[in-house]
Amino acid sequence: MEDKSIFKSWVPKWAIITILFVCLLHSMILLGVYTSNVTYAASFLDIEPEDLQYAMCVTYGTLLATILIESRFSSFFPAKNYLMGVYSLIGVTIVASGYVDNFAVFLLLRVAEGILMALPAITIRQLLIEQFDSKNAIIIGFSFYYGSLLLSTPFIMNIAVWFLDHYDWKYMLYVSGGLQVLNVFLILVTFRGHRITKKIPLYQIDWMSYFLVLTAILCGAYFFVYAEKKYWFESSQMVLMLIMALITGGLFIFKELLVKRPTFDFEVFKYANLRIGFLLFFLFYISRATLSLCHSAMYSIWNWDPSRVAGVQYINGLGNVIGLILAAYFLMKSVSTKIIFLIGFSLIALYHFWFTFLFVPDVALSDIIVPYFLQGIGVGLLFVPLILFTTSSVPANMAVSSGIVGVSGRFWGSTIGFCVMQNATVFLNKKHFFKLSQFVTGENPEAQQTIASTTQSFIAKGYSADNANVLAMKKIFGSITKQSTLLADMEIYTIVGYGLLVLIILIACNQHLRQTVTLMKSKIWIG
């Protein structure tokens, strides 16, 4: 890169950091605007929650594929024009999605948003890292960048709840699009027009590899998101999606291994840190997926209103911030990554075991605040060290490939984590509902007495005997459904907790894990 700053001379450093951080918020919006309130967003689009989860996978999966070719675009255009163009297009797609009621068209917009989310990320992050005159610039820059991604859900959810209380859903999209206009204005005013990288012509882009890997990602994600709903291999559609994912993924691997200058260099898998980092990321995201069960219990079991759930998520977000600060401090002090991993995964394991005893029909916020907060600290503590551990041992010429592996671990971990939690919840709910309902339908004296007393309470309210009996059975089976959900959540949290204990023991016994924070300031890793 050239020494000449891309920013105008009158712009102070604190303003530069603020502007770059504001520009990072587009990632928070694209990741959180529809997942912040799944039920409302699904009803707004007239789709199922699984459809919305797949739409999220489409955005993240497209981002993953686009990293393969992103550098060709950012190197071709001057940074100022490039970023202004990208943020303008992001604003258009966000606002346009508010006028789309066809799910297929909505998915196409999510593909576009995934591409546009990937395009400015590396440039902005590179500029952010350069603002810190320290040997720890990468650690500080990564903490800012990935901290914004971690905080996207509580940040956007609280905004969403406020907008839903005062305005229509579309107004939130208008404001999200307006933020992109702010980005364009800030870049227009503060950026110079010169280049920060050597110009590379836009030809010989490996479009075939791009479309092969994108097809494999989207088909694979479709399989895992809809597998439970469509009964796995009983559905010909599921079989077709899996076959397409395997064929296109296989063709991509075969092509990359044959060509002289591959878009993705499979030589990166020779590095043990990268292989271990990918596995840890995968398991980390599966363990994070249980947080959705906690939030679901807040809504459906404890009957907390959306504004309260949104506010509670700030507690977890505060934990994320503290975890990120602790991770940055440990990395700057050259604390072994093994120690950081042990502390982080231990906190998440503690959260799971603690919360196992909190899945009861009613709890107070004071009961859950400590484990909920500790989960946030554990996640924040692990995120940046995992990224640096995965990428830091790989040579600079393989930075793009190592970054793709890191993003792949996060993408497939979150996608398969959703699949695991969805299937486990359905299976365990059915198992417990069947067992508990036997006590109601059988000749259990206590059950019959409960039915009779509940029926009498409805008769006392003025209902006829038949209607009172129907309402009594609905109330009892509703209680059984809630109890089944609580028992299922307890089992899932217990199993994940023990799984994390095994992982902690393996990390403690693994002699390969070592300190991997000696990073050159000039290296720009793709996480």
Side-chain angles (χ1 to χ4, degrees):
M1 289 185 59
E2 297 177 14
D3 295 331
K4 189 178 178 183
S5 174
I6 189 68
F7 290 92
K8 294 179 180 178
S9 58
W10 59 266
V11 186
K13 182 160 290 190
W14 63 266
I16 293 173
I17 295 173
T18 303
I19 290 167
L20 293 174
F21 187 76
V22 169
C23 289
L24 288 177
L25 296 181
H26 84 286
S27 298
M28 298 176 69
I29 291 169
L30 292 177
L31 286 175
V33 69
Y34 283 97
T35 54
S36 57
N37 194 321
V38 172
T39 303
Y40 188 89
S43 63
F44 173 74
L45 293 164
D46 194 22
I47 57 178
E48 298 294 325
E50 291 86 0
D51 297 328
L52 201 58
Q53 176 65 29
Y54 181 64
M56 180 66 183
C57 290
V58 167
T59 300
Y60 208 161
T62 307
L63 176 146
L64 171 57
T66 304
I67 293 174
L68 282 170
I69 58 175
E70 182 279 334
S71 61
R72 299 298 299 274
F73 293 96
S74 60
S75 298
F76 181 76
F77 299 100
K80 181 177 182 178
N81 298 340
Y82 177 70
L83 293 173
M84 287 175 62
V86 170
Y87 285 123
S88 298
L89 290 172
I90 291 173
V92 171
T93 55
I94 289 175
V95 174
S97 64
Y99 294 91
V100 171
D101 53 12
N102 182 284
F103 184 58
V105 178
F106 178 69
L107 285 182
L108 289 176
L109 282 175
R110 295 302 284 178
V111 169
E113 288 170 355
I115 295 171
L116 294 169
M117 184 177 168
L119 291 180
I122 298 173
T123 302
I124 293 293
R125 190 176 61 198
Q126 178 177 335
L127 292 172
L128 182 62
I129 289 171
E130 290 175 352
Q131 304 314 309
F132 301 99
D133 299 323
S134 166
K135 63 179 181 180
N136 299 310
I138 292 178
I139 296 170
I140 298 170
F142 273 34
S143 298
F144 269 96
Y145 180 75
Y146 290 105
S148 68
L149 297 183
L150 278 178
L151 296 172
S152 62
T153 299
F155 178 78
I156 297 298
M157 183 175 181
N158 277 272
I159 295 175
V161 168
W162 185 85
F163 266 96
L164 293 177
D165 285 341
H166 297 85
Y167 303 100
D168 185 74
W169 175 265
K170 287 183 181 179
Y171 283 93
M172 183 174 176
L173 300 177
Y174 297 153
V175 173
S176 301
L179 180 59
Q180 312 312 314
V181 176
L182 174 62
N183 289 343
V184 172
F185 174 76
L186 291 174
I187 293 168
L188 176 65
V189 172
T190 61
F191 275 56
R192 288 180 172 144
H194 67 76
R195 294 185 169 278
I196 57 173
T197 57
K198 181 181 178 182
K199 183 176 180 179
I200 300 176
L202 275 180
Y203 62 84
Q204 295 182 341
I205 296 176
D206 194 351
W207 291 109
M208 182 178 291
S209 292
Y210 177 73
F211 287 116
L212 282 174
V213 76
L214 180 60
T215 303
I217 290 169
L218 298 185
C219 290
Y222 189 92
F223 174 81
F224 285 111
V225 170
Y226 290 100
E228 189 278 327
K229 191 178 183 67
K230 296 181 182 291
Y231 303 103
W232 291 86
F233 297 105
E234 293 181 23
S235 167
S236 58
Q237 190 180 45
M238 290 294 96
V239 173
L240 177 61
M241 286 293 134
L242 182 59
I243 291 173
M244 287 182 64
L246 292 174
I247 289 175
T248 52
L251 288 173
F252 170 75
I253 294 171
F254 183 70
K255 179 182 179 300
E256 295 302 297
L257 291 175
L258 284 182
V259 297
K260 191 173 182 179
R261 292 186 178 85
T263 304
F264 178 85
D265 193 344
F266 280 91
E267 293 290 317
V268 293
F269 288 106
K270 289 183 178 180
Y271 296 89
N273 278 25
L274 184 129
R275 298 195 302 270
I276 294 172
F278 174 82
L279 178 62
L280 289 177
F281 252 129
F282 184 78
L283 297 175
F284 167 68
Y285 264 81
I286 288 180
S287 68
R288 275 194 73 196
T290 58
L291 195 62
S292 64
L293 302 180
C294 171
H295 293 152
S296 178
M298 291 178 185
Y299 285 114
S300 60
I301 306 298
W302 303 329
N303 299 317
W304 294 2
D305 60 82
S307 60
R308 188 182 186 191
V309 176
V312 166
Q313 288 194 30
Y314 273 132
I315 298 170
N316 191 259
L318 177 61
N320 290 156
V321 172
I322 292 175
L324 287 163
I325 294 171
L326 287 174
Y329 176 79
F330 289 153
L331 291 170
M332 291 176 187
K333 294 297 181 181
S334 298
V335 175
S336 170
T337 48
K338 176 188 278 193
I339 301 299
I340 298 174
F341 292 165
L342 287 173
I343 296 172
F345 281 114
S346 295
L347 288 174
I348 298 177
L350 177 62
Y351 154 77
H352 281 88
F353 285 123
W354 194 330
F355 236 92
T356 299
F357 300 100
L358 297 176
F359 284 115
V360 292
D362 189 30
V363 298
L365 177 60
S366 58
D367 297 325
I368 72 164
I369 190 170
V370 175
Y372 191 65
F373 180 67
L374 291 177
Q375 195 271 357
I377 295 176
V379 168
L381 191 62
L382 288 170
F383 208 83
V384 173
L386 272 173
I387 293 167
L388 297 179
F389 175 82
T390 305
T391 58
S392 61
S393 65
V394 180
N397 63 319
M398 296 182 182
V400 172
S401 298
S402 67
I404 290 171
V405 172
V407 178
S408 297
R410 300 202 294 277
F411 173 77
W412 289 115
S414 59
T415 302
I416 296 175
F418 170 83
C419 177
V420 170
M421 296 308 151
Q422 184 187 47
N423 282 271
T425 301
V426 170
F427 173 77
L428 293 172
N429 268 337
K430 286 180 180 177
K431 184 186 79 169
H432 292 302
F433 185 85
F434 177 73
K435 286 184 178 180
L436 293 174
S437 61
Q438 288 180 323
F439 292 99
V440 176
T441 56
E443 297 300 323
N444 187 303
E446 292 182 7
Q448 296 304 316
Q449 184 179 352
T450 301
I451 293 171
S453 62
T454 306
T455 301
Q456 286 300 319
S457 68
F458 280 111
I459 291 174
K461 293 177 182 178
Y463 291 95
S464 65
D466 289 339
N467 289 337
N469 187 62
V470 171
L471 290 171
M473 294 303 293
K474 277 188 176 181
K475 182 177 180 180
I476 290 169
F477 276 104
S479 299
I480 291 174
T481 300
K482 286 187 175 182
Q483 191 62 43
S484 301
T485 301
L486 290 170
L487 289 171
D489 290 346
M490 289 173 67
E491 281 192 62
I492 292 170
Y493 267 62
T494 303
I495 292 169
V496 173
Y498 279 117
L500 286 169
L501 274 185
V502 173
L503 178 61
I504 290 164
I505 293 170
L506 291 174
I507 291 173
C509 297
N510 192 324
Q511 296 302 314
H512 176 76
L513 286 175
R514 59 187 183 274
Q515 184 177 347
T516 54
V517 295
T518 307
L519 301 171
M520 296 297 293
K521 184 180 177 182
S522 60
K523 286 186 178 180
I524 304 301
W525 301 105
I526 302 170

